[in-house]
Amino acid sequence: MKRHHWWRDAVIYQVYVRSFLDSTGDGVGDLAGVRAGLPYLKKLGVDGVWLSPFYPSPQHDHGYDVANYRDVDPLFGDLAEFDLLMADARRLGLRILLDIVPNHCSSEHPWFRAALAAGAGSEERARFHFAEGRGPDGAEPPNNWHAMFGGPAWTRTDDGQWYLHMFTPEQPDWNWRHPEIPAEFEEVLRFWLDRGVDGFRIDVAAGLFKHPELPDSDDPEADARTRDSVNPLAWNQPEVHDVWRRWRAVCEEYTARDGRERLLVGEVSVPTAREHAAYVRPDELHQAFFFDLLGAPWDADAFRKVISEAMRDIAGTGSTLTWVLNNHDQVRTVTRYGEPAPGGSGLGAARARAAALLMLALPGAAYIYQGEELGLPEVVDLPDDVLTDPVFHRTGSRARVRDGCRVPLPWSGQASPFGFTTGVEGVRTWLPQPDYFAEYATERALADTRSFWHLYRDGLQLRASMPQLGDGDGTLRWLDTEPDVLAFTRGDGLVCAVNFGTAPTTAPVPGTPLLASGPCPAGELPGSTAAWWLADL
C-alpha cells in the first residue's frame, strides 16, 4: 500500500505573529495569542500553522533580522510559552512550522558584532561577506549590486571595509562557504526539532550562496526592480542544493526515531518551473512555494498556462506542488483582483472567493495567509508616519510597501482594536486598523454562512473528505470550455470550473454544485464564480 505523506496535500495557515492576537495589551500579537487562537484554526480545518519569526530581534524587518536563533523575543513571550503552544497544538492535532532565516541575521547578532570588533582579515569577518571598496581610497562599494529593499547592497564600516546585505544594512548576509555557518544552522534545526516542531519554512531558500568572486551585475537596476526579482549572482547558486540535502537528512533522522515526518518548505523565487523543480527533488526540500499562481493576472489563459507548466515541470517529477495566493509580502488577494466593496462584496471579493476554490482543488499542498479566510482587503490608506516597512524607509516609495497586508486582524466588536487586544482601555495596535474592519471581524464571519470563512471551511472539509482532492492521484485533466472558463477534473469525476469573465455561461457539467464561491444555479456558472461538481465523465 502506498504510504501517505501528510505534507503532500497539507493546508497550512500562515500566522504573522505580531498581527494575529495580542494577549498582553501592548498592541502587538504574541505566542500566547497564537495559542488562544488555535481552536479557531482547528475549527477552520487547516492541518498546521506556520509562525513568522518570533526570535530575539531589534525588529528592523519585523523579526527577519534575527539576533538569536535559539530563543523567543520578550515582545512575543518566552520558551515556556512556546512549549505550551506546542503542547496545545499537539493536543488539537495541528502541526507547527517555524520560519527560519538562514540567508542573513541581525546586525546585532553576537557573531556580527564580533566581526565588526575583530577587523579586516579576521576569522570573525569570514563568517560574512566583508570586502575592500573600489577606487583610490576604497570609497566605492565592492560591486554594483542593489539591495532587494532599495539602495546599494553594501555598507561601509568604520575601518573602511564594506559588508554585503541583500536586504537592509541591519541584515548582513551570512557567508555559507564558511564551515561554521552550515554547522551552526544544523544545530539551530536540532534545537527546535528537540522542542517538537514539525518543520520549517525557509526564508530566501534560493539565496544563501553568492558568486565567489562577487562580480558586477550586468543589470543591477533590474535585479532590484521588484520585491520578487533576483540577482542571479546572489541567487540560485548550485551549492545551495547541498544545504537542503543536509537539512533533509536531519529531518529524516528525527523521523526515523519516532515515525513523525518533519517538513521543509522553501521560499524559492526562481525564473522557471524547471528550476523550481530542482529544489523539491526527493533528497532536498519537501515543498517549495509556487508563486506563479499568486502573480498571474485574472485571466483564464494565464492561469491555465501557469498550472500546466507546474504540473508538467514540477508534479511531473513526482514532487508535490505547493500553491499560494497570498502571504505577508504581497497585496491581499481581494485588492489584487479588483477594488473591494463594503462588506466583502465587489469584483475583487468575488474573484478572490473563486480563486480560493480553484487553489483548494489543485493537486498538492496549499498555504493560506491569515485574514484571507475573512476576505480582508489591503489597507491602502495608512499614513506615512505609521508605516514601518523598511522598503518604505529605504526607498521613500509606497509602491512595494507590505504594511497594508500586515494590519492586526479584527476578531470582534465595532471599533478598534476589534478584539485583537482585550482588557486594556485605549490601547493602540502596532498598525492602525481602519473602521471598516468591523465588517470583516471573525465573530461576524462565523455567524454569516455566506462569508469567506464558511467558504474556506466548507472547501477544507470537502478537500479532507474526498479522495479526488488534495494529493489524490496527483493528476489533473483539462476540459474543453468557453474562452473565459477554466475547468478540470480531479480523480473520479470531481470537476472544478472557474468563470473568469463577468457574464454567466453554461456550466461545463450538468447538475447542482457541491460547493460554489457564489450563487450558482443548476446548469449555470455565473461570472467571477468557481464551483465544484461530481460528474459521470
Side-chain angles (χ1 to χ4, degrees), residues 41-80:
L41 299 180
K42 180 66 175 180
K43 186 174 183 178
L44 181 62
V46 298
D47 299 300
V49 180
W50 150 30
L51 302 176
S52 63
F54 51 75
Y55 316 108
S57 164
Q59 303 293 318
H60 290 294
D61 189 21
H62 295 152
Y64 285 92
D65 48 325
V66 181
N68 180 353
Y69 290 87
R70 294 179 176 86
D71 205 348
V72 176
D73 194 300
L75 182 68
F76 302 119
D78 54 27
L79 283 171

Side-chain angles (χ1 to χ4, degrees), residues 10 12-14 50 64 97-99 200-205 263-270 272-273 276-277 279-280 285-294 310 314 320-329 365-369:
I12 306 295
Y13 186 96
Q14 180 191 354
W50 150 30
Y64 285 92
L97 308 182
L98 304 192
D99 207 324
F200 303 90
R201 178 266 185 184
I202 305 164
D203 190 58
V204 194
L263 168 65
L264 296 174
V265 54
E267 181 194 31
V268 174
S269 298
V270 289
T272 68
H276 178 111
Y279 286 82
V280 287
L285 304 178
H286 302 81
Q287 299 175 347
F289 296 125
F290 188 67
F291 293 120
D292 292 37
L293 192 66
L294 184 158
I314 302 173
T320 189
L321 276 156
T322 306
W323 306 99
V324 290
L325 287 172
N326 199 253
N327 62 34
H328 64 292
D329 288 330
Y367 283 69
I368 301 168
Y369 178 52

Side-chain angles (χ1 to χ4, degrees), residues 17-18 20-37 74-78 81 411 419-424 427:
V17 175
R18 65 188 298 123
F20 186 70
L21 188 59
D22 169 27
S23 72
T24 63
D26 64 357
V28 178
D30 47 50
L31 293 182
V34 176
R35 184 158 67 96
L75 182 68
F76 302 119
D78 54 27
E81 183 59 48
W411 290 85
F420 172 75
T421 293
T422 57
V424 179
V427 67

Side-chain angles (χ1 to χ4, degrees), residues 71-106:
D71 205 348
V72 176
D73 194 300
L75 182 68
F76 302 119
D78 54 27
L79 283 171
E81 183 59 48
F82 175 81
D83 291 340
L84 290 173
L85 188 157
M86 285 300 308
D88 281 8
R90 190 75 63 228
R91 178 176 56 81
L92 291 169
L94 292 170
R95 293 177 169 89
I96 298 292
L97 308 182
L98 304 192
D99 207 324
I100 192 164
V101 189
N103 179 73
H104 49 266
C105 65
S106 166

